Amino acid sequence: MSTVDLTNKQIVLAISAGIAAYKAPFIVRGLRAAGAEVQVVLSANAHHFVTPTSLQAVAGNPVRQDPWDSAAEAAMGHIELARWADLVLVAPATANTMAKLAHGQADDLLTTLCLATPAPVLVAPAMNQQMYRHPATQNNLRLLETLGYELIGPDSGEQACGDEGPGRMSEPDALIAAVGRTLATPVPGNLKDHTVMITTGPTLEPIDPVRYISNHSSGLQGLSLAEAAAAAGARVIVVAGPKVQASSAPIERIDVTTALEMEQAVQSRLPEVDIFIGVAAVADYRPATSHEQKLKRSGEPGAEMTVSLVENPDIIAGVARHAQRPKLVIGFAAETNDTLAHARAKRERKGLDAIVLNDVSDPSIGFNSANNAATFIYDGGEVTFPKQSKRQLADSLISQIPDIFASQLADTNPETVTQ
Ligand code: C5P
């Protein structure tokens, strides 16, 4: 029994010609059991692996495969179908279909539809392990990710051709869960009457007027959270480090450069804040002296120079122990080893209500990537979010906050104890 709720969602299942297409009727059944309406589109050769008759029976809608089918076009044109979809799931996605999608080719109904839809497109690769490992396929996978397609799987294991390795399509239940995650949207009004402050991006600590210490943070995850919180009805204040891109959402933004400026900006607005989310990759240290003039080289080859550093304040720990502590303080932890243990300890040490753990040893997520995966750790529970776009992760996290922290958020602000 599916726990995914897709009530009133309109899904196009786009099936390309791989052996895993035999599982497509189970995907259709699962989507419908979760409440979705499903239209099925086949690539030119997919009918060799699964019959349109079975698919039509389980979908309850006619199956489409020919872009020149005038009767189908008259009933719902392919552009109309592309607009009708809340989400397109390409499963199985063959190497050939992925190559076409990665290059914007539209030579059949399936690829035309993917190009014409404004909806999110989820892609479930399925192919022989050698085809999957081929650099051309790997390049196309990366291209698809940068174009905003979300990849689900593939799994690894025994293959229809007898090989072992990566390339098995994810199981129908996993695909349906991914559809549910992608369509999870913050409920409008769920954070109404709450002010959310989010720090994001790197900080930049000057050594002299032209050099600095900083890090690879893009600020995208924090910005995505800000947009998700705004979509949930919150008033949002973002404190952004340098080079964080602009956002179209209705968000108040305070731009800062250094950790000390970020701390000052945060503290000055803290009394207004109900939920504080620290996503910024704050530099732990800053140069003890920021030189007014550009430092000159000594001219002696091999000469050493030392930049002495002093520790920056821990901004989020300061928020968590502040007399005017927000109702919720949530941090992020980027870890490379013993990730869960380090994140749990960090949550306790900093006095946070929750911490979002990212494993940054995986280069396909986190810094400089459009995707992220995380474990949300709070007192009494942990929720794992598999790899997804940073915006989807933000939507999933923001959607869960009102439920997990219902009692804390319901509290009217206690009289602040002043020292
Ligand atoms: O200690 P670490 O940097 O791993 O902790 C990460 C969490 O702490 C993030 O939420 C980050 O925004 C916050 N932080 C902070 N001030 C610092 C260092 C980290 O607010 N100086």
Side-chain angles (χ1 to χ4, degrees):
M1 178 62 193
S2 169
T3 53
V4 179
D5 181 10
L6 297 175
T7 311
N8 297 328
K9 297 296 181 196
Q10 303 184 151
I11 315 284
V12 171
L13 176 63
I15 305 171
S16 61
I19 178 68
Y22 82 88
K23 294 184 183 168
F26 296 99
I27 304 174
V28 175
R29 259 207 348 218
L31 291 170
R32 292 196 69 195
E37 188 180 346
V38 182
Q39 300 267 1
V40 178
V41 169
L42 295 180
S43 72
N45 289 314
H47 65 274
H48 292 298
F49 295 96
V50 59
T51 74
T53 322
S54 342
L55 288 164
Q56 183 160 321
V58 282
N61 277 320
V63 170
R64 303 183 49 155
Q65 48 190 333
D66 180 2
W68 310 114
D69 178 341
S70 48
E73 280 294 302
M76 191 194 279
H78 62 276
I79 298 291
E80 230 177 309
L81 183 61
R83 288 195 193 123
W84 174 89
D86 292 317
L87 180 145
V88 177
L89 170 61
V90 188
T94 59
N96 181 48
T97 293
M98 292 198 309
K100 291 200 267 182
L101 294 179
H103 294 89
Q105 214 172 316
D107 63 352
D108 65 2
L109 182 62
L110 186 154
T111 45
T112 307
L113 180 87
C114 289
L115 212 53
T117 187
V121 181
L122 268 53
V123 174
M127 71 202 70
N128 163 268
Q129 53 86 20
Q130 202 62 51
M131 292 171 79
Y132 180 73
R133 291 185 216 265
H134 195 287
T137 305
Q138 290 299 314
N139 275 341
N140 288 333
L141 287 165
R142 277 191 292 275
L143 257 176
L144 287 172
E145 280 192 328
T146 54
L147 293 173
Y149 290 88
E150 191 193 337
L151 301 174
I152 323 285
D155 291 348
S156 215
E158 198 186 319
Q159 302 204 299
C161 54
D163 279 8
E164 275 285 320
R168 285 170 57 93
M169 186 177 78
S170 296
E171 291 302 328
D173 280 352
L175 296 177
I176 291 154
V179 170
R181 278 197 308 276
T182 303
L183 292 176
T185 40
V187 181
N190 243 2
L191 287 180
K192 201 169 145 286
D193 302 328
H194 288 97
T195 297
V196 178
M197 175 184 266
I198 297 173
T199 64
T200 195
T203 64
L204 184 154
E205 313 295 334
I207 298 171
D208 69 15
V210 290
R211 287 110 172 180
Y212 56 81
I213 295 173
S214 192
N215 59 63
H216 292 299
S217 171
S218 63
L220 185 59
Q221 185 64 77
L223 218 49
S224 301
L225 278 161
E227 287 170 2
R235 174 176 162 245
V236 183
I237 306 170
V238 167
V239 183
K243 297 187 190 139
V244 175
Q245 69 186 56
S247 162
S248 52
I251 289 165
E252 183 185 346
R253 172 165 167 151
I254 306 171
D255 284 297
V256 298
T257 303
T258 64
L260 290 180
E261 285 170 19
M262 186 173 274
E263 182 190 43
Q264 213 277 324
V266 165
Q267 300 251 349
S268 70
R269 302 292 296 274
L270 212 50
E272 301 162 47
V273 177
D274 301 297
I275 303 173
F276 178 86
I277 310 181
V279 195
V282 184
D284 286 329
Y285 290 89
R286 64 179 183 279
T289 315
S290 172
H291 296 270
E292 274 180 28
Q293 308 296 337
K294 184 180 169 191
L295 294 173
K296 300 285 182 283
R297 53 188 292 134
S298 80
E300 301 281 327
E304 290 186 8
M305 86 162 291
T306 307
V307 178
S308 155
L309 302 175
V310 287
E311 194 162 318
N312 272 326
D314 190 325
I315 300 171
I316 202 166
V319 170
R321 59 168 182 263
H322 199 277
Q324 289 172 308
R325 186 190 198 277
K327 294 172 187 167
L328 271 187
V329 182
I330 301 175
F332 270 65
E335 304 289 344
T336 55
N337 62 303
D338 292 331
T339 55
L340 269 175
H342 279 127
R344 287 177 188 139
K346 195 168 281 181
R347 185 182 84 78
E348 302 258 337
R349 191 172 65 243
K350 296 193 184 218
L352 310 180
D353 298 288
I355 199 156
V356 182
L357 161 66
N358 294 134
D359 181 348
V360 286
S361 65
D362 178 349
S364 73
I365 57 171
F367 287 139
N368 281 327
S369 164
N371 295 313
N372 210 350
T375 307
F376 189 54
I377 303 169
Y378 54 96
D379 195 8
E382 292 184 1
V383 185
T384 298
F385 299 102
K387 187 169 149 188
Q388 52 197 292
S389 77
K390 286 183 174 171
R391 178 57 205 258
Q392 281 153 14
L393 182 68
D395 283 347
S396 309
L397 277 167
I398 292 292
S399 311
Q400 302 238 351
I401 286 176
D403 283 343
I404 295 178
F405 301 106
S407 57
Q408 268 140 293
L409 289 174
D411 277 359
T412 44
N413 242 339
E415 286 298 303
T416 311
V417 187
T418 41
Q419 296 118 343

